Amino acid sequence: MNKIVQESTIRCPSCGHENCEVMPEDFCQWFYECHSCGTLIKPKAGDCCVYCSYGTVKCPPIQAGSSCCGQ
């Protein structure tokens, strides 16, 4: 079994700013505010969370091979 990676770097689709964040294990993060420009980032259609859409690492449930938050 692969180790679950807890950190992911989110890249803002508006300004390109990147920030490393620790991902929550027990809920999907549907919104993320860019630390640089203040844009409220939402997941792309078909993705469960902002980490799956804009992060360097998918969220913990997806890494584990299960659906994320009931999807």
Side-chain angles (χ1 to χ4, degrees):
M1 182 173 182
N2 293 333
K3 183 177 178 185
I4 301 297
V5 177
Q6 295 297 126
E7 293 183 348
S8 184
T9 299
I10 291 184
R11 181 183 173 134
C12 176
S14 295
C15 73
H17 178 77
E18 295 182 341
N19 202 56
C20 185
E21 300 285 350
V22 176
M23 296 182 281
E25 290 185 54
D26 56 349
F27 66 90
C28 290
Q29 187 164 341
W30 293 316
F31 302 104
Y32 179 84
E33 185 175 345
C34 176
H35 292 260
S36 180
C37 71
T39 296
L40 186 62
I41 301 168
K42 301 174 189 174
K44 294 177 185 176
D47 284 341
C48 62
C49 66
V50 293
Y51 294 106
C52 288
S53 293
Y54 302 104
T56 54
V57 178
K58 303 284 186 188
C59 68
I62 297 297
Q63 290 181 56
S66 53
S67 63
C68 185
C69 302
Q71 290 189 3

